[in-house]
């Protein structure tokens, strides 16, 4: 019986092990749990492993501050099994997604100590910063893992194939930031047979050729995300095999470079799909009819491709559609016909319909009100015409309506908005829609964003806006508003972030104090506002009050520490620039041009203790350190070149023109402002020479120092102006220095907008006292579009190589002392549309050529050059001075005056020598006159005989 009892107890123990799946190695932990009374004190070796892992981390936010003491099961992010006490979950995800809260490594590699957590089932290290170190190979030994998330944690290098050892894994996410991780082979995936979620987004997979075959082996897969992996092939599974992805619900291949027809792809047979993300893959061609078989689809994203044509007509069974995104394609079809092909059974299920910039035309369908579940409708940047259907007003769930940049017209009434109870964002900008809504109408929605720019909303200010106190963005620029800004405006929109009502005819004054406003951007430029410039909102970053009629002085207290742009140009501001402007150390753009400001410019610098010329300019906290653009033109400012600019190392645009600045142009310009691109100091009183090192400004492409007292010669180092000698490559993120600037070119002042003047390459040194010759090096500035050296004292010839300036549109060399011929190369300037060579000492024939003959006011080009001949002048060039002889004659032309002068002097001296000699010797006088008499008799006889013979011949001919 005793033996039977022992056997029974043994069987019972085995049954317990089988029931509870307790491995022999866990008996110690069970015993430890019983000893501790079930309090859950963790296993010591696993606690030590966690502490070792912590020792290799930097934790600036103190997220692991609870990792001390004996019971690791109570630590933040750690969870133990209630049954075995083993650590089964480690969640160190950075939920704030910012660097300040990130864990990072204190060494070159991550501690392998986590390999001791053999019962770990869940590991999440996402959104940390692990210094681009490799994913630890030891993770591949955690064979009980079901969940592994290493996404966005700045791991680097190659994904270890040892991850294929995690045969129990169901969830794997190693997505990150493009290029951090890479893989050349995905064969290890085939061993993860239980995997249902796989995300390799932004992992470099360019060299993986058989990826379709590899993922096809994962028959349990429900979610597959391979976006932005640099995949270049989407070849289908071989015809002899079929897809094993029968459970796949989400497929994301967006952001790859397939560049193939959309219709020939392996995923069209995946009828279980609910989400299909294929954006930004350079697909082209049409959408195949196989789409009609994917009846489970809820999300279709085909945006940003080259797809053409309508959606298939056989989609009647796709009744679960919720999100349809076709933006940035070339559909080139009627939007009405496109929407008519949407399955009727999905009209009540579609929530998002985006057709932005899809080359659509026609009219919106009148049945659009049947899409009762629609949350967002985006059809901007198309050619949609006609009126907005009244059915839009029935879309009670709509939160976003964007129909901007179309050709819509007609009148909007309150019925268009009456049922939009949940509308938050409304964008109807850049259409021709008018509004006919009575002033006392109270809208049923509370908008957050509204954009009516370039839509004829006016002339009255919309009264219904007074109820929209939750608006964050209010854009009413160029809307024909001709009204006084109502008093309620500043109360209703006191919490608005962006206010734009520029380009209208708004009248009235602004409140004297706007510090209660929350706005960080206010644009009220180009209106008819009057009064004083108000005290600024404390959080303002951009303020534009230009082109109004503000008067008085600028506020003496400019408290706006976040201000980056202050634009108050073209007003009637008087007085001096307040010293408090020096506190705006973050200012990037300042435009005070076109006012009546007086006095010395801002004294925004600190002199050293010994009052020397050395300035203490801390790169981070002084005025000007962030400036990109400074415009002070058309004022009455005086003083020397502003010294605070010695700290403006970021400055690219500087306009001091039309003031009374004096002194010399400083030699520190290239050193202190190395990024300068546009420099305008015309119409001041600057004197001295052009600094030779000014040409070392590589980026300088616009130099205007006209109408000053500059003397000396033109620097010979012009070829150092790299931006004038090389092609400029502009980019989409070009910083807009000024919306427009006045440019003196082609004999007149023209207002050039940013898109145009950023392409101008200008050199204007006119109306100074420059001497010497025009340097031949000027021909190296091949990107010049405007060259003006007029009204100086330049001598010598026009360089022959001036014909190399092929981009030149305007050339003015008038009112100088230039000599010699006009170079024939001028006729090669095919872009030239304005030429002025008047009032010089040029000579010779004017070059012929079709380009020169197309210029306007032909005679005015050459007037004041007495030595010129040929078309269009009335003075013809003589035959003796044509061809080779012409060239020689012009080469000797400079010696004619001295030759004639010498002959005259010689004649006078010789005459007086003979006369004086004859006065002293009487015999010489008698002999002289005898010779004269004999010469006279001989000449007289010869003339009489010749005359008689000529008369005889004449008479004989008449007979």
């Amino acid at each position: 019986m005793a033996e039977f009892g022992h056997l029974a107890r043994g069987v019972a123990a085995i049954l317990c092990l089988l029931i509870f799946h307790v491995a022999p190695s866990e008996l110690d932990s069970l015993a430890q749990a019983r000893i501790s009374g079930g309090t859950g004190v963790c296993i010591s070796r696993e606690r030590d492993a966690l502490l070792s892992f912590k020792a290799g981390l930097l934790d600036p936010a103190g997220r692991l501050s609870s990792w001390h003491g004996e019971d690791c099961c109570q630590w933040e992010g750690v969870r133990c099994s209630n049954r075995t006490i083993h650590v089964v979950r480690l969640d160190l995800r950075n939920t704030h997604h910012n660097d300040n809260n990130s864990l990072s490594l204190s060494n070159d590699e991550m501690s392998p100590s986590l390999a001791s957590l053999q019962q770990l089932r869940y590991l999440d290290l996402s959104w940390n910063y692990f210094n681009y170190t490799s994913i630890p190979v030891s993770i591949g030994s955690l064979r009980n893992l079901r969940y592994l998330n290493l996404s966005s944690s700045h791991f680097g290098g190659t994904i270890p194939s040892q991850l294929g050892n995690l045969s129990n894994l169901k969830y794997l996410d190693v997505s990150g930031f493009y290029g951090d991780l890479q893989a050349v082979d995905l064969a290890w995936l085939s061993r993860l047979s239980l995997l249902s979620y796989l995300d390799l987004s932004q992992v470099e997979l360019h060299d993986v050729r058989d990826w379709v075959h590899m993922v096809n082996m994962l028959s349990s897969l429900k979610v597959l995300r391979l976006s932005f992996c640099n995949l270049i092939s989407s070849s289908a599974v071989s015809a002899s095999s079929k897809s094993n992805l029968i459970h796949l619900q989400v497929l994301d291949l967006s952001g790859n470079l397939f560049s193939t027809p959309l219709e020939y792809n392996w995923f069209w047979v995946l009828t279980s799909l609910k989400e299909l993300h294929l954006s930004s893959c350079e697909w082209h061609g049409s959408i195949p009819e196989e789409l009609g078989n994917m009846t489970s689809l809820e999300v279709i994203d085909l945006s940003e491709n080259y797809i053409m044509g309508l959606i298939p007509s056989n989609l009647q069974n796709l009744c679960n559609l919720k999100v349809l995104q076709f933006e940035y394609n070339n559909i080139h079809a009627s939007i009405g016909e496109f929407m008519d092909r949407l399955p009727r059974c999905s009209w009540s299920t579609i929530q998002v319909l985006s057709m932005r910039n899809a080359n659509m035309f026609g009219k919106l369908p009148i049945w659009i009100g049947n899409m009762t579940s629609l949350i967002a409708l985006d059809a901007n940047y198309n050619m949609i015409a006609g009126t907005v259907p009244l059915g839009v007003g029935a879309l009670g769930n709509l939160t976003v309506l964007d129909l901007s940049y179309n050709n819509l017209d007609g009148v909007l009434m309150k019925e268009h908005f009456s049922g939009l109870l949940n509308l938050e964002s409304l964008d109807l900008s850049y259409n021709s829609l008018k509004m006919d809504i009575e002033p006392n109408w109270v809208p049923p929605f509370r908008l957050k964003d509204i954009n009516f720019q370039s839509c004829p909303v006016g002339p009255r200010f919309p009264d219904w806006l007074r109820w929209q106190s939750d608006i964050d963005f209010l854009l009413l620029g160029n809307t024909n508003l001709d009204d006084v800004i109502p008093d309620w405006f500043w109360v209703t929109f006191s919490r608005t972030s962006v206010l734009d009502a520029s380009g209208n005819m708004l009248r009235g004054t602004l409140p004297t104090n706007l510090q209660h406003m929350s706005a960080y951007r206010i644009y009220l430029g180009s209106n008819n506002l009057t009064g004083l410039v108000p005290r600024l909102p404390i959080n303002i970053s951009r303020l534009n009050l230009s082109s109004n009629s503000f008067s008085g002085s600028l506020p003496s207290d400019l408290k706006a520490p976040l201000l980056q742009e202050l634009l108050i140009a073209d007003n009637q501001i008087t007085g001096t620039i307040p010293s408090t402007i020096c506190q705006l150390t973050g200012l990037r753009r300042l435009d005070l041009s076109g006012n009546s400001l007086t006095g010395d410019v801002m004294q925004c610098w600190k002199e050293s203790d010994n009052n020397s010329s050395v300035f203490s300019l801390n790169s981070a906290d002084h005025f000007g350190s962030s400036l990109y653009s400074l415009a002070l033109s058309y004022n009455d400012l005086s003083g020397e070149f502003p010294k605070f600019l010695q700290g403006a190392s970021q400055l690219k645009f500087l306009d001091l023109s039309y003031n009374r600045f004096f002194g010399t142009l400083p030699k520190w310009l290239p050193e202190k402002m190395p990024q300068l691109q546009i420099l305008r100091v015309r119409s001041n009183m600057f004197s001295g020479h052009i600094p030779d090192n000014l040409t070392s400004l590589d980026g300088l492409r616009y130099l205007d120092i006209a109408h000053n007292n500059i003397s000396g010669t033109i620097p010979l180092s012009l070829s150092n102006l790299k931006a004038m000698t090389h092609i400029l490559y502009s980019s989409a993120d070009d910083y807009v220095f000024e919306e427009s600037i006045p440019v003196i070119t082609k004999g007149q002042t023209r207002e050039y907008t940013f898109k145009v003047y950023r392409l101008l390459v200008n050199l204007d040194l006119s109306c100074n006292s420059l001497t010497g010759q025009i340097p031949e090096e000027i021909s190296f500035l091949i990107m010049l579009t405007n060259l003006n050296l007029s009204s100086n004292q330049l001598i010598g010839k026009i360089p022959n190589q001036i014909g190399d300036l092929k981009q030149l549109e305007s050339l003015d060399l008038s009112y100088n002392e230039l000599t010699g011929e006009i170079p024939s190369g001028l006729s090669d300037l095919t872009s030239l549309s304005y030429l002025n060579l008047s009032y010089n000492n040029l000579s010779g024939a004017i070059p012929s050529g079709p380009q020169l003959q197309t210029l306007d006011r032909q005679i005015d080009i050459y007037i004041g050059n007495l030595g010129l001949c040929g078309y269009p002048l009335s003075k013809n060039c003589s035959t003796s001075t044509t061809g080779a002889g012409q060239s020689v004659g012009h080469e000797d032309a400079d010696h004619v005056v001295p030759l004639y002068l010498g002959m005259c002097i010689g004649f006078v001296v010789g005459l007086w020598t003979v006369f004086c000699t004859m006065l002293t010797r009487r015999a010489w006088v008698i002999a002289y006159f005898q010779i004269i008499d004999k010469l006279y008799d001989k000449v007289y006889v010869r003339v009489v005989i010749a005359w008689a013979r000529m008369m005889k011949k004449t008479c004989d001919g008449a007979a």
Side-chain angles (χ1 to χ4, degrees), residues 875-887:
K875 181 179 180 182
N876 293 326
C877 298
S878 65
T879 57
S880 62
T881 58
T882 60
Q886 178 182 354
S887 177

Side-chain angles (χ1 to χ4, degrees), residues 452-697:
F452 285 154
Q453 289 200 102
S454 297
C455 230
V457 173
R460 290 197 56 183
F461 205 94
D463 287 318
W464 60 269
L465 287 176
R466 69 185 306 170
W467 308 109
Q468 304 302 303
S469 57
D470 293 338
I471 283 185
D472 193 37
F473 283 73
L474 176 62
L475 307 179
L476 297 174
N478 193 28
T479 52
N480 291 352
L481 292 175
D482 187 358
D483 200 354
V484 176
I485 299 179
D487 294 336
W488 53 260
F489 181 91
W490 307 106
V491 177
T492 300
F493 303 122
S494 61
R495 296 180 297 167
T496 301
S497 298
V498 177
L499 288 171
D500 185 356
S502 58
N504 288 290
M505 294 167 283
L506 292 172
R507 306 183 301 276
T509 61
L510 303 185
T512 57
N513 190 344
L514 293 179
Q515 290 187 321
H516 69 286
M517 301 285 292
S518 299
Y520 62 85
R521 294 185 185 181
I522 295 180
Y523 304 105
L524 293 173
S526 300
N527 279 287
N528 298 322
L529 299 172
T530 57
L532 300 176
V533 175
R535 296 179 68 180
L536 309 184
I538 194 67
N539 293 321
I540 194 76
S541 66
R542 297 184 182 183
L543 176 65
N544 187 348
L545 300 178
S546 296
S547 301
N548 281 283
S549 297
F550 291 106
S551 57
S553 301
L554 292 172
S556 58
D557 188 5
L558 288 172
K559 288 185 178 180
L562 303 179
L563 194 62
Q564 296 182 11
E565 287 190 1
L566 179 59
L567 313 178
I568 316 182
D570 299 317
N571 281 283
Q572 301 167 17
I573 307 298
T574 58
T576 60
I577 300 175
S579 59
T580 53
I581 202 170
C582 303
Q583 301 171 7
L584 307 179
T585 57
L587 206 60
R588 303 182 69 190
R589 183 177 171 197
L590 175 62
D591 190 349
L592 301 177
S593 59
N595 285 287
S596 300
L597 295 167
T598 59
D600 200 351
V601 79
M602 301 87 70
Q603 305 291 334
C604 297
W605 70 84
K606 300 177 183 178
E607 294 194 19
S608 60
D609 294 337
N610 58 6
N611 294 322
S612 68
S613 60
V614 179
F615 300 97
S616 173
L617 294 172
N618 187 303
S619 62
D621 61 359
H622 70 274
F623 178 80
S625 60
S626 300
L627 269 180
Y628 276 67
S629 173
L630 175 62
L632 300 175
S633 58
Y634 294 97
N635 279 288
D636 196 23
L637 298 168
S638 59
E640 296 184 337
F641 198 94
K643 295 180 180 179
F644 77 88
L645 291 175
Q646 294 184 55
S649 60
Q650 305 296 317
L651 198 67
K652 296 183 178 182
F653 179 99
L654 176 60
D655 191 352
L656 303 178
S657 56
Y658 298 98
N659 281 286
R660 292 190 295 115
F661 292 108
F662 55 83
T664 60
L665 296 177
K667 294 183 178 181
W668 48 257
L669 275 173
E671 176 187 357
K672 302 299 184 180
M673 295 188 291
Q675 299 189 40
L676 200 62
Q677 296 181 17
I678 298 177
L679 175 60
R680 301 180 77 234
V681 295
R682 70 181 296 127
S683 298
N684 280 283
M685 295 182 289
F686 288 113
S687 58
H689 295 180
I690 301 174
D692 288 337
N693 65 347
L694 192 65
T695 59
S696 64
L697 284 166

Side-chain angles (χ1 to χ4, degrees), residues 212-213 215-219 221 224 236-248 251 265-273:
V212 177
H213 177 70
V215 299
N216 187 54
M217 300 174 68
L218 305 176
S219 58
L221 209 57
L224 175 60
V237 180
S238 62
S240 60
S241 62
K242 66 177 183 178
S243 176
N244 293 320
L245 303 177
I246 58 176
H247 301 295
L248 195 65
L251 176 62
N265 279 285
W266 57 276
F267 42 75
W268 295 119
V269 300
L270 303 178
T271 56
S272 60
L273 278 181

Side-chain angles (χ1 to χ4, degrees), residues 338-404:
F338 186 91
M339 293 180 65
D340 282 340
R341 292 199 174 191
L342 296 175
R344 287 178 175 267
C345 59
S346 68
W347 284 5
S348 60
T349 64
I350 295 177
Q351 299 176 3
V352 176
L353 180 59
S354 180
M355 298 166 288
R356 170 192 297 238
N357 201 358
N359 193 13
M360 289 188 172
F361 49 85
K363 298 181 179 181
L364 290 169
I366 58 175
W367 55 261
I368 196 171
N370 294 324
M371 305 182 75
T372 54
S373 296
L374 202 60
I375 296 176
L377 175 61
D378 187 349
N380 69 4
Y381 283 97
N382 284 288
M383 296 173 286
I384 304 172
T387 59
V388 178
L390 285 175
V392 169
L395 302 178
N397 291 306
L398 198 66
T399 61
V400 176
L401 176 60
D402 189 346
L403 300 175
S404 59

Side-chain angles (χ1 to χ4, degrees), residues 49-358:
L50 290 172
L51 290 175
S52 177
F53 178 68
K54 176 187 176 183
L57 298 177
L58 298 176
D59 181 19
R63 291 168 50 198
L64 305 182
S65 58
S66 63
W67 284 32
H68 60 83
E70 295 295 323
D71 191 1
C72 66
C73 296
Q74 304 300 318
W75 295 353
E76 183 71 23
V78 179
R79 197 174 79 184
C80 300
S81 168
N82 292 331
R83 180 170 53 82
T84 66
I85 318 301
H86 279 294
V87 175
V88 294
R89 182 184 178 101
L90 181 59
D91 187 354
L92 298 181
R93 178 183 179 88
N94 175 13
T95 56
H96 295 281
H97 294 187
N98 60 53
D99 293 340
N100 295 331
N101 207 53
S102 290
L103 300 173
S104 59
L105 299 180
S106 59
N107 301 310
D108 294 336
E109 60 182 16
M110 181 176 287
S111 170
S113 60
L114 291 183
S116 299
L117 307 178
Q118 284 296 305
Q119 300 303 312
L120 198 65
R121 296 189 175 200
Y122 185 104
L123 177 60
D124 192 340
L125 301 177
S126 60
W127 289 98
N128 288 290
Y129 190 90
F130 292 132
N131 310 57
Y132 300 101
T133 189
S134 300
I135 296 175
V137 174
S138 57
I139 290 181
S141 65
L142 301 175
R143 297 180 180 272
N144 283 298
L145 270 185
R146 270 71 166 171
Y147 181 100
L148 177 59
N149 190 346
L150 305 177
S151 65
S152 304
S153 287
H154 295 280
F155 283 109
T158 302
I159 297 176
S161 60
Q162 286 81 357
L163 293 186
N165 298 332
L166 305 176
S167 57
N168 291 309
L169 203 62
K170 295 183 178 180
Y171 185 104
L172 175 60
D173 188 349
V174 290
S175 61
F177 303 101
Y178 187 74
D180 288 358
L181 289 168
Q182 61 182 5
V184 295
D185 184 9
L186 295 179
W188 53 272
L189 279 177
S190 62
R191 305 199 300 272
L192 305 180
S193 59
L194 300 180
L195 203 62
S196 63
Y197 185 101
L198 175 61
D199 192 345
L200 299 178
S201 297
Q202 301 198 53
V203 175
E204 175 60 63
L205 300 178
H206 180 272
D207 296 327
V208 179
R209 293 290 182 267
D210 57 350
W211 65 272
V212 177
H213 177 70
M214 292 302 162
V215 299
N216 187 54
M217 300 174 68
L218 305 176
S219 58
S220 299
L221 209 57
K222 293 183 179 180
V223 176
L224 175 60
R225 298 190 183 277
L226 297 173
S227 62
F228 296 94
C229 291
N230 204 13
L231 295 169
I232 60 174
S233 172
S234 61
S235 57
V237 180
S238 62
S240 60
S241 62
K242 66 177 183 178
S243 176
N244 293 320
L245 303 177
I246 58 176
H247 301 295
L248 195 65
Q249 298 179 3
V250 177
L251 176 62
D252 188 352
L253 298 177
S254 56
N256 288 290
L257 304 174
F258 297 128
S259 302
T260 57
L262 180 60
E263 54 187 325
Y264 304 116
N265 279 285
W266 57 276
F267 42 75
W268 295 119
V269 300
L270 303 178
T271 56
S272 60
L273 278 181
K274 292 184 178 180
E275 297 185 19
L276 180 60
H277 301 272
L278 301 175
S279 65
S280 304
C281 291
E282 300 187 4
W283 305 113
H284 54 82
S286 58
I287 304 172
E289 291 189 354
E290 285 80 0
L291 180 63
N293 299 325
M294 307 173 77
T295 55
S296 298
L297 272 179
E298 298 177 0
V299 176
I300 303 175
D301 186 356
L302 294 171
S303 57
E304 299 186 50
N305 286 292
Y306 303 110
I307 298 171
M308 297 183 64
L310 297 167
I311 55 178
S313 58
N314 63 339
L315 304 185
Q316 60 272 14
N317 294 323
L318 274 64
C319 299
N320 300 309
L321 292 177
K322 294 181 179 178
V323 177
L324 296 172
Q325 294 181 289
F326 296 98
E327 65 263 24
Y328 296 100
N329 278 287
N330 188 24
I331 303 299
H332 191 64
S334 166
I335 189 172
E337 187 177 357
F338 186 91
M339 293 180 65
D340 282 340
R341 292 199 174 191
L342 296 175
R344 287 178 175 267
C345 59
S346 68
W347 284 5
S348 60
T349 64
I350 295 177
Q351 299 176 3
V352 176
L353 180 59
S354 180
M355 298 166 288
R356 170 192 297 238
N357 201 358

